[in-house]
Amino acid sequence: MSELIRVQDLRVVACGERDEVDIVKGVSFSLQKGEVLALIGESGSGKTTIALALLGYARRGCRLAGGVVQIGEHDMLALSESQLQTLRGNRVSYIAQSAAAAFNPAKKLIDQVVEGALIHDLGSRAVLEAKAIELFHDLALPDPERIGQRYPHQVSGGQLQRVMAAMALISDPLLVVLDEPTTALDVTTQIDVLRAFKRVVRERGATAVYVSHDLAVVAQMADQIVVLNGGEIFEHSATAPLLKGPAHEYTRSLLAAARPDTTIRPPSDIAQDTPLLTIQGLTAGYGNKNAQGMPAIRVLEDIDLTVRRGQAIGVIGESGSGKSTLARVVAGLLVPALGGLTFDGEPLGGSLSSRTNEQFRRIQMVFQNADTALNPMHSISTILSRPLKMYFGLKGAALRERIGELLDLVRLPRTMADRRPNELSGGQKQRVNLARALAAKPDLILCDEVTSALDTVVGAAILELLRDLRQQLGVSYLFISHDISTVRALCDDIVVMYSGHKVQAGTRQAYAEAPFHPYTDLLIHSVPELRQGWLETCGATTCQTLPPMGPKTNVPGLCTFLSRCPVRVDGLCNCVAPERRIIVGGSEILCHHDSAELLKTQQSNNLTVAAYA
């Protein structure tokens, strides 16, 4: 079989003021028709740069300096810009990481899906719209006949990502480039999107290059894997042998980061019995309030939570479960409608204006995206100096020395103090983000998805840093994530939230084996395993084919997980509100089922302690 895609000795350089620096250094690989090749590596390894070169494109400040990129009969590096424009979105298509940033919010989805094909004159609007609807069916989008009439903000992130796939596939391209298409999605949505992508790629015989830093995701999609580091290929192999026995030490480090070390435990001697933060009966939301003071959109309902001094509590759940809203309430960025907060035995006001400067100092927040959290116009020194001046009045030599100490704490060289955020890697920026919070010498740090935007190696390093800082400083964490494996690597206790309700709470050990709340079971089984074929076998534990429960599912007070629960009982779950109960292992759950009933269904999923410990 002849090669459909051939990359030979590809070189890409970054153009400086005086000289050029190689950022892709003689990369070569090939694909047969219908194959999927994965490009993996840490941030800065050259994955996306190579993927964009397949479209004959280099980002600003870079240049395609040499080599061959052959797509079918087209040598992409030898074509003019006008010739490349006839191929992009036609013979070569691209699926970006963030569909939300790629779509025009003012245009309907169907118009954007067919737009490129119309520009390339691949058919009439009627024919192309019919083809788009067929793709919507294949990609398992809801209401495929009418979803195209919606605007981007009217569909979920996972649905929008699949609409982008339809846009890329509508031209029947020779090559589809998928650039981290599931990185920004929560674990349950990721399964749906991966399953849809894989089915369509296989059924349509598409040839694809999949860019990712997540080996567990790549294992579900790729026939072969290219491991990159510093713009060079360190290893190139078929997927199965690479996962079983990687040849290069760097590949082994990626595998180790993808398989969390089950021997690591959070420090056991840090947490004290003294409550630091107490939340009682918390209800909060957004929108106009009614006469009773309740917001139009309730995001949190009746939340009780206690964080002890030196304790790390993980809060997990899908997007929209209320995790970040909980952090915003604790930070004073959202006033609760009901309930109260106390901090170190004193009332904690719901609004910023009702809090003391000392309460401001003692509660700090580290945001998910360091790119938007750090001012790009300021140096790292200026960013870190602000809380030091505001809370402690430091200046001069004392200020410079404390900035150096903070950089030491987060394991950054002191020479970085004079750099700006755009001169740092993603992991380095997140360390600065953390150092700014530590500058206030807080007692509680709210960590909102601080590793979700990072590759697995950098994310693991940030988790290790957080664990060491907790041991060193005795700080408490409220750690928000959608990944239970990440939370279990850092936290003492774990709270599972769904649709604004606390559906399970217990120690990390309680999440090692069944029984769980049915939603917790779904989350655990949604974390990709590092083996081929997992995607095909995980369907038994997800909620893809549940029958409708009838008209009573929206009755206030009923279980919010009702419509997705695989163990719901008609006549009970859709009629009576669940109560909180303690199950085997010590967790508290919000469910009608007891331990024995949950064990019967969940042990059949072959859940093992080793997989999630």
Side-chain angles (χ1 to χ4, degrees):
M1 186 182 298
S2 61
E3 298 170 344
L4 181 67
I5 312 297
R6 181 171 69 91
V7 176
Q8 186 70 40
D9 295 326
L10 174 65
R11 285 184 61 243
V12 183
V13 298
C15 306
E17 292 182 2
R18 297 183 179 179
D19 53 11
E20 295 183 334
V21 178
D22 283 13
I23 55 175
V24 174
K25 308 167 184 176
V27 165
S28 301
F29 58 83
S30 62
L31 288 88
Q32 310 289 347
K33 180 175 172 53
E35 279 192 314
V36 178
L37 177 141
L39 300 174
I40 70 162
E42 298 174 74
S43 300
S45 62
K47 306 184 300 293
T48 297
T49 301
I50 294 169
L52 293 173
L54 294 170
L55 285 79
Y57 178 79
R59 286 179 286 198
R60 179 176 294 183
C62 298
R63 181 173 64 87
L64 302 173
V68 175
V69 176
Q70 193 81 25
I71 309 294
E73 70 276 17
H74 309 288
D75 183 354
M76 305 297 285
L77 302 191
L79 300 178
S80 66
E81 185 60 31
S82 61
Q83 290 172 315
L84 288 170
Q85 288 177 6
T86 66
L87 296 177
R88 294 172 185 154
N90 181 3
R91 309 313 292 141
V92 186
S93 292
Y94 182 78
I95 300 176
Q97 177 175 345
S98 175
F103 276 86
N104 186 333
K107 298 178 68 174
K108 292 180 180 179
L109 295 174
I110 191 71
D111 294 334
Q112 299 186 65
V113 169
V114 303
E115 182 178 24
L118 285 172
I119 290 172
H120 293 296
D121 198 22
L122 300 180
S124 66
R125 173 173 283 275
V127 169
L128 291 173
E129 287 189 358
K131 189 173 183 179
I133 291 171
E134 181 183 331
L135 282 165
F136 294 162
H137 276 281
D138 291 346
L139 289 162
L141 281 161
D143 196 9
E145 303 290 338
R146 288 180 288 274
I147 194 171
Q149 299 304 314
R150 299 181 190 176
Y151 291 89
H153 71 276
Q154 294 176 314
V155 298
S156 70
Q159 291 168 358
L160 199 58
Q161 207 70 24
R162 282 179 276 172
V163 173
M164 177 173 273
M167 184 191 301
L169 293 166
I170 196 168
S171 64
D172 296 317
L174 293 173
L175 175 68
V176 181
V177 177
L178 302 96
D179 191 359
E180 300 268 17
T182 64
T183 297
L185 305 177
D186 59 54
V187 287
T188 51
T189 306
Q190 178 176 253
I191 286 182
D192 295 339
V193 174
L194 278 177
R195 186 181 285 116
F197 281 177
K198 185 169 186 177
R199 181 177 60 252
V200 170
V201 166
R202 297 301 187 199
E203 289 179 357
R204 292 177 176 264
T207 307
V209 170
Y210 196 106
V211 176
S212 180
H213 62 252
D214 192 334
L215 265 171
V217 168
V218 162
Q220 313 313 315
M221 296 290 295
D223 301 298
Q224 52 177 311
I225 297 175
V226 169
V227 180
L228 295 157
N229 188 18
E232 298 181 79
I233 293 179
F234 276 28
E235 188 163 354
H236 182 185
S237 170
T239 300
L242 185 140
L243 295 177
K244 186 176 181 180
H248 198 281
E249 179 60 33
Y250 177 67
T251 310
R252 289 194 285 273
S253 73
L254 292 179
L255 285 168
R259 292 175 171 137
D261 188 349
T262 58
T263 65
I264 295 176
R265 294 290 183 267
S268 58
D269 57 344
I270 299 299
Q272 304 174 18
D273 292 333
T274 309
L276 178 65
L277 172 72
T278 303
I279 302 172
Q280 292 183 313
L282 176 65
T283 296
Y286 301 94
N288 295 328
K289 295 182 179 180
N290 60 20
Q292 289 74 42
M294 300 304 295
I297 302 173
R298 295 192 195 182
V299 180
L300 298 173
E301 292 271 3
D302 195 25
I303 302 295
D304 292 333
L305 183 65
T306 299
V307 181
R308 293 177 285 123
R309 283 187 171 276
Q311 185 183 26
I313 289 187
V315 181
I316 67 170
E318 295 169 280
S319 299
S321 63
K323 310 184 301 296
S324 294
T325 300
L326 176 62
R328 288 175 61 83
V329 170
V330 176
L333 300 175
L334 179 66
V335 179
L338 290 177
L341 295 84
T342 60
F343 187 75
D344 201 12
E346 298 292 329
L348 185 65
S351 64
L352 293 174
S353 60
S354 62
R355 297 190 178 184
T356 66
N357 285 339
E358 187 67 0
Q359 288 175 332
F360 279 132
R361 181 189 68 77
R362 297 177 66 188
I363 301 175
Q364 294 292 314
M365 191 164 183
V366 180
F367 295 94
Q368 174 179 354
N369 191 341
D371 284 318
T372 57
L374 303 176
N375 190 325
M377 302 301 294
H378 291 170
S379 68
I380 304 308
S381 176
T382 301
I383 289 169
L384 296 182
S385 67
R386 187 175 182 186
L388 295 174
K389 292 176 181 178
M390 181 168 61
Y391 292 122
F392 306 110
L394 294 183
K395 56 185 177 181
L399 177 63
R400 291 191 295 274
E401 178 58 24
R402 182 55 181 156
I403 289 171
E405 291 173 355
L406 287 169
L407 291 172
D408 292 342
L409 266 180
V410 297
R411 298 171 193 166
L412 288 175
R414 294 193 176 197
T415 53
M416 284 192 174
D418 295 327
R419 297 188 188 181
R420 285 183 167 80
N422 66 341
E423 299 177 81
L424 275 57
S425 70
Q428 289 170 337
K429 282 183 279 194
Q430 196 62 290
R431 288 171 188 262
V432 172
N433 205 10
L434 178 59
R436 180 172 59 181
L438 292 171
K441 296 185 178 179
D443 294 303
L444 174 65
I445 298 180
L446 311 172
C447 300
D448 190 3
E449 298 274 15
V450 295
T451 63
S452 63
L454 305 175
D455 63 56
T456 49
V457 173
V458 176
I462 293 295
L463 284 179
E464 181 182 355
L465 174 62
L466 287 168
R467 191 163 45 234
D468 291 349
L469 288 172
R470 182 180 163 216
Q471 179 85 49
Q472 182 177 350
L473 304 175
V475 67
S476 300
Y477 295 133
L478 192 64
F479 188 88
I480 292 167
S481 178
H482 59 252
D483 186 347
I484 194 167
S485 300
T486 298
V487 167
R488 294 202 62 222
L490 180 72
C491 299
D492 306 300
D493 292 352
I494 300 172
V495 171
V496 180
M497 294 186 64
Y498 182 78
S499 190
H501 290 76
K502 187 176 73 171
V503 297
Q504 181 166 352
T507 65
R508 64 183 302 277
Q509 291 82 5
Y511 292 81
E513 57 184 326
F516 311 108
H517 186 280
Y519 177 60
T520 307
D521 190 52
L522 171 63
L523 286 180
I524 288 174
H525 283 87
S526 297
V527 179
E529 296 178 19
L530 199 55
R531 61 178 175 84
Q532 285 186 298
W534 171 83
L535 189 62
E536 287 70 29
T537 60
C538 72
T541 61
T542 59
C543 306
Q544 298 296 313
T545 56
L546 298 179
M549 284 296 291
K552 293 185 179 180
T553 56
N554 292 322
V555 175
L558 293 185
C559 174
T560 53
F561 191 56
L562 178 62
S563 63
R564 299 174 67 191
C565 183
V567 294
R568 64 196 180 192
V569 178
D570 198 7
L572 174 64
C573 297
N574 61 335
C575 297
V576 181
E579 296 182 354
R580 298 194 177 275
R581 62 174 69 222
I582 304 297
I583 56 173
V584 170
S587 283
E588 177 191 77
I589 65 170
L590 184 63
C591 188
H592 286 291
H593 292 286
D594 60 22
S595 299
E597 293 166 331
L598 293 171
L599 272 170
K600 188 190 323 184
T601 58
Q602 292 169 5
Q603 284 183 334
S604 66
N605 292 332
N606 297 316
L607 181 63
T608 63
V609 175
Y612 302 105

